[in-house]
Amino acid sequence: MEIAELQRALRATYFERDTGRGSDATFRWLTEEVGELARALRHGKHEELELEFSDVLAWLASLANLTGVDLERAAARYANGCPKCGASPCRCTFE
Amino acid sequence: MEIAELQRALRATYFERDTGRGSDATFRWLTEEVGELARALRHGKHEELELEFSDVLAWLASLANLTGVDLERAAARYANGCPKCGASPCRCTFE
């Protein structure tokens, strides 16, 4: 699936609801799902983990739709190596 | 860009480093970037916002690589309407 396709699917399914709720409340949902991802990392069951990644992606795309961000453009930054050092594998020396 | 393509790019660039750091520390990075996304939402400058969406996506993909999650499979759950009610637009009555 193209990233743009996912973003369009989320727009078709949730944009009206997302708009009604607004970006702060949508961001709150995103963080709730990141918390559920943390719990799934702790429990370690694969199906649950995949489901939480799914939800985080979905809420991220919803928030991108609300704020006018093109996730394809956002993702393109990582398409060809590290955006900081330009290399793949990354050669950055700090973390 | 296909979601799988993004995940592969992140694997090529960061998997060795991600593996050395481990999933808990990688999750910590993900949450740091979600915090930076919150700040970018507050400031409201579009380029900064796009950059933070970019970083959240990247760290999510890195974490997916570390934990063996296929983001294409994860995303597919939202490809055809709401996974809860099946409809697009969503017809769920609670939030």
Side-chain angles (χ1 to χ4, degrees):
Chain A
M1 191 191 315
E2 298 275 330
I3 290 166
E5 209 176 322
L6 176 68
Q7 190 167 5
R8 279 195 302 270
L10 265 303
R11 178 177 282 273
T13 304
Y14 297 112
F15 188 71
E16 190 176 344
R17 182 182 290 254
D18 292 339
T19 304
R21 179 192 320 111
S23 57
D24 279 349
T26 301
F27 179 81
R28 192 235 316 133
W29 268 107
L30 171 64
T31 57
E32 182 171 329
E33 297 298 338
V34 170
E36 291 185 10
L37 177 57
R39 185 170 63 215
L41 285 167
R42 184 163 52 82
H43 283 307
K45 288 174 187 166
H46 188 83
E47 292 74 20
E48 190 186 340
L49 196 52
E50 186 179 291
L51 192 144
E52 300 308 341
F53 271 97
S54 174
D55 285 347
V56 171
L57 262 179
W59 283 102
L60 194 67
S62 278
L63 189 61
N65 284 329
L66 267 187
T67 55
V69 169
D70 179 336
L71 286 180
E72 283 279 358
R73 281 179 48 103
R77 188 159 159 269
Y78 283 91
N80 299 109
C82 176
K84 287 195 166 72
C85 70
S88 183
C90 163
R91 287 201 287 261
C92 290
T93 54
F94 59 90
E95 204 169 275
Chain B
M1 192 191 318
E2 298 274 332
I3 291 167
E5 209 177 321
L6 175 68
Q7 191 167 3
R8 280 193 303 269
L10 265 303
R11 177 177 281 273
T13 304
Y14 297 113
F15 189 71
E16 190 177 344
R17 181 182 291 253
D18 292 340
T19 304
R21 180 192 319 111
S23 58
D24 278 350
T26 301
F27 180 81
R28 191 233 316 131
W29 269 106
L30 171 64
T31 56
E32 182 172 330
E33 297 297 340
V34 171
E36 290 185 9
L37 176 58
R39 186 171 61 217
L41 284 168
R42 184 163 52 82
H43 283 306
K45 288 173 189 168
H46 188 84
E47 292 74 19
E48 189 186 342
L49 196 51
E50 187 179 291
L51 192 145
E52 300 307 342
F53 270 98
S54 174
D55 286 347
V56 171
L57 261 178
W59 282 102
L60 194 67
S62 278
L63 189 61
N65 285 328
L66 268 187
T67 55
V69 169
D70 180 335
L71 285 180
E72 283 279 358
R73 281 179 48 102
R77 189 158 158 268
Y78 282 90
N80 299 108
C82 176
K84 286 194 167 73
C85 71
S88 183
C90 165
R91 285 201 288 261
C92 290
T93 54
F94 58 90
E95 206 170 273

